[in-house]
Amino acid sequence: MPEGDTVWQAARRLHIALAGKVLTRSDLRVPKYATADLTGRTVLDVTPRGKHLLARIEGGVTLHSHLRMDGSWKVYANGQRWSGGPTHQIRAILGTADRTAVGYRLPVLELLRTTDEGRAVGHLGPDLLGPDWNPDKALENLLRDPARPLGEALLDQRNFAGIGNVYKSELCFLLGVTPWLPIGDVPADRAAQLPALAKRLLEVNRDRPARSTTGRRDQNLFVYGRTPRPCLRCRTPIRSANQGDGARERPTYWCPTCQTGPTPSPGAAQPRTGPRRTTN
């Protein structure tokens, strides 16, 4: 499931492959842009914004994409066999003299004027891995709705951008509170630590091939996807349940001993054998 660190890695790969080079191939396989031709234009940069990717191209054009649950960008040397999925899943191809970037299963793909990027990403809060990061603003945004469950507030990209379902569960564990605890009830000292902790987790993982929040070699994550295995700290079986506003339910994981706060009724907290895919 792509989160802010994964998108940052994708942007870096695309930037290294495309930036400063002239496009020799352009194929956008979505009906609205099927006739768009970007060949002959130079790619200026590829920038991540939260979970969004912005490829800025000569002529004041930006190709905006979002990976959500299953999307990915792959980069291949010319002549290399493409292996990101079947051909019918390809949504974009951007080629240069020596590299080809292929976008698979992209649920969001659109061409924008670069001056209109705000239409796609202007709603986002401070970016955990971006130059606009502001921990005070992030905390202010989170606390604006004190009755909102912490897990839901963390996933709201308007508060701060880059957290997905994995980091949501892991952050709640590290703070020692359940994802259903209203954000206003999180002890003030722990709430104050939250923005810096979230940033730290993404920063240490943006250069890693495998995400880790534990610092251990034998187990990368504390709670996410670990039901019903024992907690790494107290050995209590990890629990899981869906959390959301009814429109989008997310599998959520917690330790009933290490984390304090409200939880779903026992009938709603069903054991799982691993993470379940959800949109993001």
Short mmCIF file of all heavy atoms in Angstrom, two decimals, residues 205-262:
data_model
loop_
_atom_site.label_atom_id
_atom_site.label_comp_id
_atom_site.label_asym_id
_atom_site.label_seq_id
_atom_site.Cartn_x
_atom_site.Cartn_y
_atom_site.Cartn_z
N ASN A 205 12.42 5.76 6.65
CA ASN A 205 12.01 4.69 5.73
C ASN A 205 12.05 5.08 4.26
O ASN A 205 11.93 4.20 3.40
CB ASN A 205 10.60 4.22 6.09
CG ASN A 205 10.59 3.27 7.27
OD1 ASN A 205 11.10 2.16 7.19
ND2 ASN A 205 10.03 3.71 8.37
N ARG A 206 12.25 6.35 3.97
CA ARG A 206 12.18 6.74 2.56
C ARG A 206 13.34 6.19 1.74
O ARG A 206 13.26 6.13 0.50
CB ARG A 206 12.11 8.26 2.44
CG ARG A 206 13.36 9.00 2.87
CD ARG A 206 13.15 10.50 2.78
NE ARG A 206 14.34 11.24 3.17
CZ ARG A 206 14.38 12.57 3.26
NH1 ARG A 206 13.29 13.28 3.00
NH2 ARG A 206 15.49 13.17 3.61
N ASP A 207 14.43 5.81 2.39
CA ASP A 207 15.56 5.24 1.67
C ASP A 207 15.69 3.73 1.88
O ASP A 207 16.68 3.13 1.46
CB ASP A 207 16.87 5.91 2.11
CG ASP A 207 16.92 7.38 1.71
OD1 ASP A 207 16.54 7.69 0.56
OD2 ASP A 207 17.32 8.21 2.54
N ARG A 208 14.70 3.12 2.52
CA ARG A 208 14.76 1.69 2.80
C ARG A 208 13.91 0.90 1.80
O ARG A 208 12.81 1.32 1.46
CB ARG A 208 14.24 1.40 4.20
CG ARG A 208 15.14 1.85 5.33
CD ARG A 208 14.46 1.60 6.67
NE ARG A 208 15.33 1.89 7.80
CZ ARG A 208 14.93 1.93 9.06
NH1 ARG A 208 13.65 1.69 9.35
NH2 ARG A 208 15.78 2.20 10.03
N PRO A 209 14.39 -0.25 1.36
CA PRO A 209 13.57 -1.09 0.48
C PRO A 209 12.41 -1.73 1.21
O PRO A 209 11.37 -2.01 0.61
CB PRO A 209 14.56 -2.14 -0.04
CG PRO A 209 15.63 -2.19 1.01
CD PRO A 209 15.75 -0.80 1.55
N ALA A 210 12.56 -1.97 2.53
CA ALA A 210 11.50 -2.57 3.33
C ALA A 210 11.21 -1.66 4.51
O ALA A 210 12.11 -1.30 5.27
CB ALA A 210 11.90 -3.96 3.83
N ARG A 211 9.95 -1.28 4.65
CA ARG A 211 9.55 -0.36 5.71
C ARG A 211 9.69 -1.02 7.08
O ARG A 211 9.33 -2.17 7.28
CB ARG A 211 8.09 0.05 5.48
CG ARG A 211 7.52 1.00 6.50
CD ARG A 211 6.06 1.27 6.19
NE ARG A 211 5.92 1.97 4.93
CZ ARG A 211 4.98 1.71 4.02
NH1 ARG A 211 4.15 0.71 4.22
NH2 ARG A 211 4.90 2.42 2.92
N SER A 212 10.21 -0.26 8.06
CA SER A 212 10.34 -0.77 9.42
C SER A 212 10.04 0.34 10.42
O SER A 212 10.49 1.47 10.26
CB SER A 212 11.75 -1.31 9.67
OG SER A 212 11.92 -1.69 11.02
N THR A 213 9.27 0.00 11.44
CA THR A 213 9.00 0.94 12.52
C THR A 213 9.55 0.45 13.85
O THR A 213 9.48 1.16 14.84
CB THR A 213 7.48 1.16 12.68
OG1 THR A 213 6.86 -0.10 13.00
CG2 THR A 213 6.86 1.71 11.40
N THR A 214 10.10 -0.75 13.88
CA THR A 214 10.51 -1.36 15.13
C THR A 214 12.00 -1.24 15.40
O THR A 214 12.43 -1.34 16.55
CB THR A 214 10.15 -2.86 15.14
OG1 THR A 214 10.92 -3.52 14.11
CG2 THR A 214 8.67 -3.07 14.90
N GLY A 215 12.80 -1.09 14.35
CA GLY A 215 14.24 -1.12 14.52
C GLY A 215 14.79 -2.52 14.71
O GLY A 215 15.98 -2.69 15.02
N ARG A 216 13.94 -3.52 14.51
CA ARG A 216 14.35 -4.92 14.68
C ARG A 216 14.53 -5.59 13.33
O ARG A 216 13.86 -5.25 12.37
CB ARG A 216 13.30 -5.68 15.50
CG ARG A 216 13.13 -5.17 16.90
CD ARG A 216 11.97 -5.80 17.63
NE ARG A 216 11.94 -7.26 17.55
CZ ARG A 216 11.33 -8.04 18.44
NH1 ARG A 216 10.71 -7.50 19.48
NH2 ARG A 216 11.34 -9.34 18.30
N ARG A 217 15.40 -6.57 13.29
CA ARG A 217 15.62 -7.32 12.05
C ARG A 217 14.61 -8.44 11.87
O ARG A 217 14.34 -8.85 10.74
CB ARG A 217 17.04 -7.89 12.03
CG ARG A 217 18.14 -6.83 11.95
CD ARG A 217 19.50 -7.46 11.81
NE ARG A 217 20.55 -6.46 11.66
CZ ARG A 217 21.83 -6.75 11.50
NH1 ARG A 217 22.22 -8.03 11.47
NH2 ARG A 217 22.72 -5.79 11.37
N ASP A 218 14.07 -8.94 12.98
CA ASP A 218 13.18 -10.10 12.89
C ASP A 218 11.73 -9.73 12.66
O ASP A 218 10.92 -10.57 12.29
CB ASP A 218 13.30 -10.95 14.16
CG ASP A 218 12.90 -10.16 15.41
OD1 ASP A 218 13.10 -8.93 15.43
OD2 ASP A 218 12.40 -10.78 16.37
N GLN A 219 11.37 -8.46 12.88
CA GLN A 219 9.98 -8.05 12.72
C GLN A 219 9.94 -6.55 12.40
O GLN A 219 10.39 -5.73 13.18
CB GLN A 219 9.17 -8.32 14.00
CG GLN A 219 7.71 -7.91 13.90
CD GLN A 219 6.97 -8.65 12.79
OE1 GLN A 219 6.97 -9.87 12.76
NE2 GLN A 219 6.35 -7.90 11.88
N ASN A 220 9.39 -6.22 11.24
CA ASN A 220 9.43 -4.83 10.78
C ASN A 220 8.38 -3.94 11.42
O ASN A 220 8.59 -2.73 11.55
CB ASN A 220 9.27 -4.77 9.26
CG ASN A 220 10.51 -5.25 8.53
OD1 ASN A 220 11.60 -5.22 9.08
ND2 ASN A 220 10.34 -5.69 7.30
N LEU A 221 7.21 -4.50 11.77
CA LEU A 221 6.11 -3.68 12.26
C LEU A 221 5.64 -4.17 13.62
O LEU A 221 5.69 -5.36 13.92
CB LEU A 221 4.94 -3.72 11.27
CG LEU A 221 5.25 -3.24 9.84
CD1 LEU A 221 4.05 -3.47 8.94
CD2 LEU A 221 5.66 -1.77 9.83
N PHE A 222 5.16 -3.23 14.43
CA PHE A 222 4.67 -3.58 15.77
C PHE A 222 3.31 -4.26 15.73
O PHE A 222 3.10 -5.29 16.37
CB PHE A 222 4.58 -2.33 16.64
CG PHE A 222 5.91 -1.86 17.17
CD1 PHE A 222 6.48 -0.70 16.68
CD2 PHE A 222 6.57 -2.57 18.15
CE1 PHE A 222 7.70 -0.25 17.18
CE2 PHE A 222 7.79 -2.14 18.66
CZ PHE A 222 8.35 -0.97 18.16
N VAL A 223 2.35 -3.68 14.99
CA VAL A 223 0.99 -4.22 15.04
C VAL A 223 0.37 -4.46 13.68
O VAL A 223 -0.43 -5.39 13.52
CB VAL A 223 0.06 -3.30 15.87
CG1 VAL A 223 0.44 -3.31 17.34
CG2 VAL A 223 0.04 -1.87 15.32
N TYR A 224 0.69 -3.66 12.68
CA TYR A 224 -0.03 -3.74 11.41
C TYR A 224 0.15 -5.12 10.75
O TYR A 224 1.26 -5.60 10.55
CB TYR A 224 0.45 -2.66 10.43
CG TYR A 224 -0.39 -2.64 9.18
CD1 TYR A 224 -1.60 -1.95 9.13
CD2 TYR A 224 0.01 -3.34 8.04
CE1 TYR A 224 -2.39 -1.95 7.99
CE2 TYR A 224 -0.78 -3.35 6.90
CZ TYR A 224 -1.97 -2.66 6.89
OH TYR A 224 -2.76 -2.67 5.75
N GLY A 225 -0.98 -5.76 10.47
CA GLY A 225 -0.96 -7.05 9.80
C GLY A 225 -0.54 -8.21 10.68
O GLY A 225 -0.30 -9.30 10.17
N ARG A 226 -0.48 -8.01 12.00
CA ARG A 226 0.08 -9.05 12.87
C ARG A 226 -0.98 -9.81 13.67
O ARG A 226 -0.63 -10.65 14.50
CB ARG A 226 1.11 -8.44 13.82
CG ARG A 226 2.30 -7.81 13.10
CD ARG A 226 3.47 -7.56 14.04
NE ARG A 226 3.99 -8.82 14.56
CZ ARG A 226 3.90 -9.20 15.82
NH1 ARG A 226 3.29 -8.44 16.71
NH2 ARG A 226 4.40 -10.35 16.21
N THR A 227 -2.27 -9.56 13.48
CA THR A 227 -3.30 -10.34 14.16
C THR A 227 -3.21 -11.81 13.72
O THR A 227 -3.08 -12.09 12.54
CB THR A 227 -4.69 -9.81 13.79
OG1 THR A 227 -4.75 -8.42 14.13
CG2 THR A 227 -5.78 -10.54 14.51
N PRO A 228 -3.31 -12.77 14.63
CA PRO A 228 -3.41 -12.67 16.09
C PRO A 228 -2.09 -12.95 16.79
O PRO A 228 -2.07 -13.48 17.90
CB PRO A 228 -4.43 -13.76 16.40
CG PRO A 228 -4.08 -14.85 15.41
CD PRO A 228 -3.56 -14.14 14.16
N ARG A 229 -0.98 -12.61 16.15
CA ARG A 229 0.32 -12.89 16.75
C ARG A 229 0.54 -12.04 18.01
O ARG A 229 -0.10 -11.01 18.18
CB ARG A 229 1.42 -12.65 15.72
CG ARG A 229 1.50 -13.74 14.67
CD ARG A 229 2.50 -13.39 13.57
NE ARG A 229 1.94 -12.41 12.66
CZ ARG A 229 2.64 -11.85 11.67
NH1 ARG A 229 3.92 -12.17 11.50
NH2 ARG A 229 2.07 -10.98 10.87
N PRO A 230 1.48 -12.41 18.84
CA PRO A 230 1.67 -11.69 20.10
C PRO A 230 2.36 -10.34 19.90
O PRO A 230 3.21 -10.19 19.02
CB PRO A 230 2.55 -12.63 20.93
CG PRO A 230 3.26 -13.47 19.92
CD PRO A 230 2.30 -13.64 18.78
N CYS A 231 1.98 -9.40 20.75
CA CYS A 231 2.62 -8.09 20.77
C CYS A 231 4.11 -8.26 21.04
O CYS A 231 4.52 -9.07 21.88
CB CYS A 231 1.97 -7.23 21.85
SG CYS A 231 2.78 -5.63 22.11
N LEU A 232 4.92 -7.47 20.36
CA LEU A 232 6.37 -7.57 20.53
C LEU A 232 6.82 -7.09 21.91
O LEU A 232 7.91 -7.41 22.35
CB LEU A 232 7.08 -6.76 19.45
CG LEU A 232 6.84 -7.21 18.01
CD1 LEU A 232 7.60 -6.32 17.04
CD2 LEU A 232 7.24 -8.66 17.81
N ARG A 233 5.97 -6.32 22.57
CA ARG A 233 6.34 -5.80 23.88
C ARG A 233 5.77 -6.63 25.03
O ARG A 233 6.47 -6.94 25.99
CB ARG A 233 5.89 -4.35 24.02
CG ARG A 233 6.70 -3.37 23.19
CD ARG A 233 6.21 -1.95 23.39
NE ARG A 233 7.04 -0.99 22.66
CZ ARG A 233 6.74 0.30 22.51
NH1 ARG A 233 5.64 0.78 23.08
NH2 ARG A 233 7.54 1.10 21.83
N CYS A 234 4.47 -6.98 24.95
CA CYS A 234 3.83 -7.59 26.12
C CYS A 234 3.32 -9.01 25.85
O CYS A 234 2.83 -9.66 26.77
CB CYS A 234 2.67 -6.70 26.60
SG CYS A 234 1.24 -6.72 25.48
N ARG A 235 3.37 -9.46 24.60
CA ARG A 235 2.96 -10.80 24.19
C ARG A 235 1.45 -11.00 24.14
O ARG A 235 0.97 -12.10 23.89
CB ARG A 235 3.57 -11.88 25.09
CG ARG A 235 5.08 -11.76 25.29
CD ARG A 235 5.83 -11.71 23.99
NE ARG A 235 5.77 -12.99 23.26
CZ ARG A 235 6.25 -13.17 22.03
NH1 ARG A 235 6.79 -12.15 21.37
NH2 ARG A 235 6.17 -14.35 21.45
N THR A 236 0.66 -9.96 24.38
CA THR A 236 -0.79 -10.06 24.21
C THR A 236 -1.11 -10.19 22.72
O THR A 236 -0.49 -9.52 21.89
CB THR A 236 -1.48 -8.80 24.76
OG1 THR A 236 -1.15 -8.65 26.13
CG2 THR A 236 -2.99 -8.88 24.60
N PRO A 237 -2.07 -11.04 22.32
CA PRO A 237 -2.41 -11.14 20.90
C PRO A 237 -2.89 -9.80 20.33
O PRO A 237 -3.70 -9.11 20.94
CB PRO A 237 -3.55 -12.18 20.88
CG PRO A 237 -3.30 -13.01 22.10
CD PRO A 237 -2.78 -12.05 23.14
N ILE A 238 -2.35 -9.45 19.19
CA ILE A 238 -2.77 -8.24 18.49
C ILE A 238 -4.20 -8.40 18.00
O ILE A 238 -4.60 -9.48 17.54
CB ILE A 238 -1.83 -7.95 17.30
CG1 ILE A 238 -0.39 -7.71 17.81
CG2 ILE A 238 -2.31 -6.77 16.49
CD1 ILE A 238 -0.25 -6.54 18.75
N ARG A 239 -4.97 -7.32 18.08
CA ARG A 239 -6.36 -7.33 17.64
C ARG A 239 -6.50 -6.46 16.38
O ARG A 239 -5.64 -5.63 16.07
CB ARG A 239 -7.28 -6.78 18.73
CG ARG A 239 -7.22 -7.55 20.04
CD ARG A 239 -7.92 -8.87 19.94
NE ARG A 239 -9.36 -8.71 19.78
CZ ARG A 239 -10.20 -9.72 19.52
NH1 ARG A 239 -9.73 -10.96 19.38
NH2 ARG A 239 -11.48 -9.50 19.39
N SER A 240 -7.60 -6.65 15.67
CA SER A 240 -7.87 -5.84 14.49
C SER A 240 -9.36 -5.65 14.31
O SER A 240 -10.18 -6.48 14.75
CB SER A 240 -7.27 -6.48 13.23
OG SER A 240 -7.87 -7.73 12.99
N ALA A 241 -9.71 -4.55 13.69
CA ALA A 241 -11.10 -4.24 13.35
C ALA A 241 -11.08 -3.17 12.27
O ALA A 241 -10.06 -2.49 12.06
CB ALA A 241 -11.87 -3.75 14.58
N ASN A 242 -12.19 -3.01 11.59
CA ASN A 242 -12.29 -1.94 10.61
C ASN A 242 -12.56 -0.62 11.31
O ASN A 242 -13.23 -0.56 12.34
CB ASN A 242 -13.42 -2.23 9.62
CG ASN A 242 -13.04 -3.31 8.63
OD1 ASN A 242 -11.86 -3.50 8.34
ND2 ASN A 242 -14.02 -4.02 8.12
N GLN A 243 -12.03 0.44 10.73
CA GLN A 243 -12.28 1.78 11.24
C GLN A 243 -12.54 2.70 10.06
O GLN A 243 -11.87 2.62 9.04
CB GLN A 243 -11.08 2.32 12.03
CG GLN A 243 -11.32 3.70 12.62
CD GLN A 243 -10.10 4.24 13.35
OE1 GLN A 243 -8.97 3.92 13.02
NE2 GLN A 243 -10.34 5.06 14.37
N GLY A 244 -13.52 3.57 10.21
CA GLY A 244 -13.82 4.51 9.14
C GLY A 244 -15.13 5.22 9.40
O GLY A 244 -15.77 5.05 10.44
N ASP A 245 -15.52 6.02 8.41
CA ASP A 245 -16.74 6.80 8.54
C ASP A 245 -17.94 6.13 7.89
O ASP A 245 -18.99 6.74 7.73
CB ASP A 245 -16.54 8.19 7.93
CG ASP A 245 -16.12 8.11 6.46
OD1 ASP A 245 -16.14 7.01 5.88
OD2 ASP A 245 -15.76 9.16 5.89
N GLY A 246 -17.79 4.86 7.52
CA GLY A 246 -18.87 4.15 6.85
C GLY A 246 -18.69 4.12 5.35
O GLY A 246 -19.15 3.20 4.68
N ALA A 247 -18.02 5.14 4.79
CA ALA A 247 -17.79 5.18 3.35
C ALA A 247 -16.55 4.38 2.98
O ALA A 247 -16.52 3.66 1.98
CB ALA A 247 -17.64 6.64 2.89
N ARG A 248 -15.50 4.49 3.80
CA ARG A 248 -14.26 3.77 3.55
C ARG A 248 -13.77 3.19 4.87
O ARG A 248 -13.32 3.91 5.74
CB ARG A 248 -13.19 4.69 2.95
CG ARG A 248 -13.49 5.11 1.53
CD ARG A 248 -12.27 5.72 0.88
NE ARG A 248 -11.78 6.89 1.58
CZ ARG A 248 -10.67 7.55 1.24
NH1 ARG A 248 -9.95 7.13 0.22
NH2 ARG A 248 -10.29 8.61 1.91
N GLU A 249 -13.90 1.89 5.00
CA GLU A 249 -13.45 1.21 6.21
C GLU A 249 -12.01 0.72 6.01
O GLU A 249 -11.68 0.18 4.96
CB GLU A 249 -14.37 0.04 6.53
CG GLU A 249 -15.80 0.45 6.83
CD GLU A 249 -15.94 1.12 8.18
OE1 GLU A 249 -15.20 0.74 9.10
OE2 GLU A 249 -16.79 2.02 8.32
N ARG A 250 -11.17 0.93 7.02
CA ARG A 250 -9.78 0.52 6.93
C ARG A 250 -9.46 -0.52 8.00
O ARG A 250 -9.84 -0.33 9.17
CB ARG A 250 -8.84 1.72 7.13
CG ARG A 250 -9.18 2.95 6.29
CD ARG A 250 -8.95 2.73 4.83
NE ARG A 250 -9.20 3.95 4.07
CZ ARG A 250 -8.25 4.76 3.61
NH1 ARG A 250 -6.98 4.46 3.83
NH2 ARG A 250 -8.56 5.84 2.94
N PRO A 251 -8.78 -1.59 7.66
CA PRO A 251 -8.36 -2.54 8.70
C PRO A 251 -7.37 -1.85 9.64
O PRO A 251 -6.41 -1.22 9.19
CB PRO A 251 -7.71 -3.68 7.92
CG PRO A 251 -7.30 -3.07 6.62
CD PRO A 251 -8.29 -2.00 6.33
N THR A 252 -7.61 -1.97 10.92
CA THR A 252 -6.84 -1.24 11.94
C THR A 252 -6.38 -2.22 13.00
O THR A 252 -7.14 -3.09 13.41
CB THR A 252 -7.72 -0.14 12.56
OG1 THR A 252 -8.12 0.75 11.52
CG2 THR A 252 -6.96 0.64 13.62
N TYR A 253 -5.15 -2.07 13.46
CA TYR A 253 -4.53 -3.04 14.34
C TYR A 253 -4.06 -2.35 15.62
O TYR A 253 -3.59 -1.21 15.59
CB TYR A 253 -3.34 -3.71 13.64
CG TYR A 253 -3.73 -4.40 12.35
CD1 TYR A 253 -3.86 -3.67 11.16
CD2 TYR A 253 -3.99 -5.76 12.32
CE1 TYR A 253 -4.24 -4.30 9.99
CE2 TYR A 253 -4.36 -6.39 11.14
CZ TYR A 253 -4.49 -5.66 9.99
OH TYR A 253 -4.87 -6.28 8.82
N TRP A 254 -4.19 -3.06 16.75
CA TRP A 254 -3.74 -2.49 18.01
C TRP A 254 -3.48 -3.59 19.04
O TRP A 254 -3.94 -4.72 18.88
CB TRP A 254 -4.77 -1.49 18.54
CG TRP A 254 -5.96 -2.10 19.24
CD1 TRP A 254 -6.16 -2.23 20.59
CD2 TRP A 254 -7.12 -2.67 18.62
NE1 TRP A 254 -7.36 -2.83 20.84
CE2 TRP A 254 -7.98 -3.11 19.66
CE3 TRP A 254 -7.53 -2.86 17.29
CZ2 TRP A 254 -9.20 -3.73 19.41
CZ3 TRP A 254 -8.74 -3.47 17.03
CH2 TRP A 254 -9.57 -3.90 18.09
N CYS A 255 -2.73 -3.22 20.08
CA CYS A 255 -2.49 -4.11 21.20
C CYS A 255 -3.41 -3.70 22.34
O CYS A 255 -3.32 -2.55 22.82
CB CYS A 255 -1.03 -4.03 21.66
SG CYS A 255 -0.73 -4.94 23.20
N PRO A 256 -4.29 -4.58 22.81
CA PRO A 256 -5.23 -4.21 23.87
C PRO A 256 -4.58 -3.97 25.23
O PRO A 256 -5.23 -3.42 26.12
CB PRO A 256 -6.19 -5.40 23.92
CG PRO A 256 -5.43 -6.54 23.34
CD PRO A 256 -4.51 -5.95 22.32
N THR A 257 -3.32 -4.35 25.38
CA THR A 257 -2.62 -4.10 26.64
C THR A 257 -1.77 -2.84 26.58
O THR A 257 -1.81 -2.01 27.50
CB THR A 257 -1.74 -5.30 27.01
OG1 THR A 257 -2.56 -6.45 27.19
CG2 THR A 257 -0.96 -5.03 28.30
N CYS A 258 -1.02 -2.66 25.53
CA CYS A 258 -0.10 -1.53 25.43
C CYS A 258 -0.79 -0.23 25.06
O CYS A 258 -0.21 0.85 25.24
CB CYS A 258 0.99 -1.83 24.40
SG CYS A 258 2.11 -3.17 24.86
N GLN A 259 -2.00 -0.31 24.50
CA GLN A 259 -2.69 0.89 24.05
C GLN A 259 -3.97 1.09 24.85
O GLN A 259 -4.79 0.16 24.97
CB GLN A 259 -3.01 0.79 22.55
CG GLN A 259 -1.75 0.78 21.68
CD GLN A 259 -2.03 0.45 20.23
OE1 GLN A 259 -1.74 -0.66 19.77
NE2 GLN A 259 -2.59 1.40 19.50
N THR A 260 -4.16 2.28 25.37
CA THR A 260 -5.34 2.60 26.16
C THR A 260 -6.31 3.43 25.32
O THR A 260 -5.91 4.16 24.42
CB THR A 260 -4.96 3.38 27.42
OG1 THR A 260 -4.31 4.61 27.04
CG2 THR A 260 -4.03 2.57 28.30
N GLY A 261 -7.59 3.31 25.66
CA GLY A 261 -8.61 4.07 24.96
C GLY A 261 -9.73 3.17 24.47
O GLY A 261 -9.67 1.94 24.62
N PRO A 262 -10.76 3.74 23.89
CA PRO A 262 -11.90 2.95 23.42
C PRO A 262 -11.52 2.02 22.28
O PRO A 262 -10.60 2.29 21.51
CB PRO A 262 -12.90 4.01 22.95
CG PRO A 262 -12.08 5.21 22.66
CD PRO A 262 -10.93 5.18 23.62
#
